């Protein structure tokens, strides 16, 4: 089964333009700012050069390596390839990013970088001092704000961030260089995909910040055996199909915590009406009607608050690319059909 993919947002547009409606497609008229790329120039030792070439050869990199230099991302080396974007790789050859670095056009207001994190902090939110320093140096990036999530990665000095639309990016901890690449891992001579440990820790960090009172929770009706978080939209057809399984999941001991994650144009107002209901039971009933019958419950006249957006903004750190996005409470994202037997295996239930 296909999941509904959010419409793509170009990286530069996402960073340099004021945020618009959720998941708006880009057009040829999108404004862009030319960002000068600054290539790394410092040569590396023969030993590092040889080691990294060997690692990349073992994992099957076929493109010719032109040179290996010190990267403008801290604790990384830049591998320049023929006909491909450069790689940025740690000295031990474990962590790799592919992509061009873009020089942040913002003036560097804060020139003293706060204390650098260690690999053990990967997946934790950056400290208040680091976040303040980053934002001070990102004034030209119009949709960066105090709500923007930033996390330490396994590479000290490299920070993971996301726009409120959930578009991820990486940057140096002085905010001078940015890329839309992601950190991949090499283990036992093979690329193993994104850094799963970081991803899980990051997602758990996000869960810990969510306002539990504003999650619509369907508790297990038998002994609880699993807890999942689901980012959902009432107009997403696949979210509705998953919702049809709610009673069965609860009966199997699965507690489902629903994050309101509107992506359709009409959804924010409709979901606000559901989340505005007076109590947990009323909210569940309203969400059931929306998902199972297509019937939207309007907000009471007395409700003037928005109970969806605060958690939706915090969930930007999940970098949701499709709804429903399903996560175990240990932060692991489910990436297959929820109608497959693999889903119950993922949850540890039968």
């Amino acid at each position: 089964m296909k999941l509904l993919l959010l419409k793509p947002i170009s990286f530069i547009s996402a960073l340099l333009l004021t945020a618009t409606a959720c998941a708006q497609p880009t057009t040829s008229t999108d404004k862009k700012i030319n960002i000068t790329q600054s290539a790394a120039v410092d040569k590396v030792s023969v030993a590092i050069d040889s080691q990294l070439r060997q690692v990349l050869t073992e994992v099957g990199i076929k493109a010719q390596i032109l040179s290996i230099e010190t990267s403008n991302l801290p604790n990384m080396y830049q591998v320049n390839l023929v006909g491909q974007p450069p790689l940025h790789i740690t000295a031990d050859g474990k962590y790799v990013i592919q992509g061009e670095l873009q020089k942040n056009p913002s003036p560097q207001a804060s020139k003293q970088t706060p204390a650098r994190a260690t690999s053990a902090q990967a997946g934790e939110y950056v400290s208040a001092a680091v976040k303040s320093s980053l934002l001070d140096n990102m004034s030209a990036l119009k949709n960066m704000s105090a709500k923007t999530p930033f996390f330490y990665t396994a590479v000290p000095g490299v920070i993971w961030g996301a726009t409120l639309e959930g578009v991820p990016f990486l940057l140096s901890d002085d905010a001078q260089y940015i890329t839309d690449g992601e950190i991949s891992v090499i283990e036992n001579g093979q690329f193993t995909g994104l850094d799963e440990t970081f991803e899980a820790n990051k997602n758990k960090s996000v869960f810990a910040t969510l306002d539990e009172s504003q999650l619509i929770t369907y508790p297990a009706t038998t002994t609880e055996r699993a807890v999942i978080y689901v980012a959902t939209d009432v107009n997403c057809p696949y979210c509705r199909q998953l919702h049809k399984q709610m009673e069965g999941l609860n009966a199997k001991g699965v507690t489902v915590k629903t994050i309101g994650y509107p992506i359709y144009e009409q959804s924010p107002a409709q979901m606000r009406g559901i989340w505005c209901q007076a109590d947990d039971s009323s909210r569940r009933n309203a969400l059931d009607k929306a998902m199972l019958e297509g019937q939207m419950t309007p907000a009471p006249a007395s409700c003037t608050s928005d109970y969806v957006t605060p958690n939706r903004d915090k969930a930007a750190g999940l970098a949701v690319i499709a709804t429903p996005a399903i996560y175990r409470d240990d932060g692991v994202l489910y990436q297959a059909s929820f109608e497959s037997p693999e889903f119950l295996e993922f949850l540890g239930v039968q």
Side-chain angles (χ1 to χ4, degrees):
M1 170 180 293
K2 290 185 178 180
L3 299 181
L4 175 65
L5 295 180
L6 301 185
K7 297 176 182 178
I9 304 174
S10 78
F11 178 62
I12 296 302
S13 295
L15 287 184
L16 296 179
L17 302 183
T18 303
T20 56
C22 177
Q24 286 293 317
T26 56
T27 69
S28 59
T29 59
D30 283 346
K31 297 179 182 178
K32 295 185 179 181
I33 295 178
N34 292 324
I35 296 180
T36 303
Q37 297 183 20
S38 177
V41 296
D42 295 335
K43 297 297 182 182
V44 303
S45 70
V46 173
I48 291 291
D49 185 286
S50 176
Q51 177 181 335
L52 294 181
R53 287 176 186 270
Q54 180 178 346
V55 168
L56 294 174
T57 298
E58 288 176 353
V59 298
I61 296 295
K62 302 298 184 183
Q64 179 185 353
I65 297 175
L66 293 175
S67 62
I68 300 179
E69 305 163 333
T70 302
S71 173
N72 283 314
L73 290 177
N75 293 304
M76 304 198 84
Y77 296 92
Q78 179 168 310
V79 181
N80 300 308
L81 305 170
V82 172
Q84 293 187 18
L87 300 176
H88 305 270
I89 186 168
T90 51
D92 60 4
K94 182 174 182 179
Y95 298 106
V96 183
I97 302 164
Q98 184 168 31
E100 299 282 359
L101 297 185
Q102 301 172 29
K103 182 69 171 69
N104 179 1
S106 310
Q108 191 174 5
S110 178
K111 296 188 178 181
Q112 184 171 2
T113 304
R116 183 162 286 171
T118 66
S119 297
Q121 293 173 272
E124 296 179 9
Y125 282 99
V126 301
S127 69
V130 168
K131 185 167 188 175
S132 177
S133 177
L134 289 172
L135 292 175
D136 284 348
N137 289 339
M138 300 175 80
S139 59
L141 307 183
K142 300 303 182 183
N143 60 358
M144 295 293 105
S145 73
K147 294 182 179 180
T148 304
F150 296 103
F151 299 83
Y152 298 118
T153 71
V155 183
V158 177
I159 304 297
W160 186 99
T163 68
L164 290 185
E165 289 76 21
V167 180
F169 57 92
L170 297 168
L171 70 162
S172 54
D173 58 2
D174 62 1
Q176 293 307 291
Y177 293 92
I178 307 175
T179 179
D180 57 353
E182 291 266 32
I183 297 180
S184 296
V185 176
I186 294 176
E187 287 184 337
N188 300 320
Q190 294 184 330
F191 279 105
T192 60
L194 296 183
D195 183 355
E196 294 180 354
T197 300
F198 164 76
E199 293 290 330
N201 288 341
K202 169 181 65 68
N203 295 340
K204 285 192 295 183
S205 294
V206 173
F207 299 155
T209 69
L210 297 177
D211 182 347
E212 288 276 337
S213 70
Q214 301 309 326
L215 300 175
I216 297 182
T217 300
Y218 291 79
T221 52
T222 59
T223 301
E224 186 177 87
R225 300 175 62 190
V227 176
I228 61 174
Y229 291 81
V230 179
T232 196
D233 182 300
V234 292
N235 290 295
C236 164
Y238 304 113
C239 298
R240 291 180 175 183
Q241 289 187 35
L242 175 63
H243 202 87
K244 291 177 182 178
Q245 298 187 23
M246 191 71 74
E247 186 175 347
L249 289 171
N250 294 159
K252 290 181 181 295
V254 180
T255 292
V256 181
K257 298 185 176 185
T258 303
I259 305 168
Y261 202 95
I263 60 171
Y264 287 84
E265 183 177 358
Q266 67 271 32
S267 296
Q270 293 173 338
M271 294 176 75
R272 176 182 170 275
I274 294 169
W275 262 256
C276 260
Q277 299 308 301
D279 52 44
D280 292 344
S281 178
S282 298
R283 290 180 179 184
R284 282 195 295 269
N285 289 338
L287 186 56
D288 288 344
K289 287 182 180 179
M291 291 297 201
L292 303 178
E293 303 171 20
Q295 179 181 339
M296 303 299 169
T297 303
S302 59
C303 180
T304 58
S305 299
D306 179 355
Y307 296 113
V308 177
T309 300
N311 270 347
R312 166 62 182 83
D313 286 348
K314 293 172 184 176
L318 299 175
V320 171
I321 62 171
T323 55
I326 305 167
Y327 304 82
R328 288 194 313 235
D329 61 351
D330 63 358
V332 177
L333 170 67
Y334 183 66
Q335 302 187 67
S337 170
F338 52 77
E339 294 186 335
S340 163
E342 295 176 2
F343 185 42
L344 295 182
E345 293 176 12
F346 172 79
L347 300 179
V349 301
Q350 297 299 324

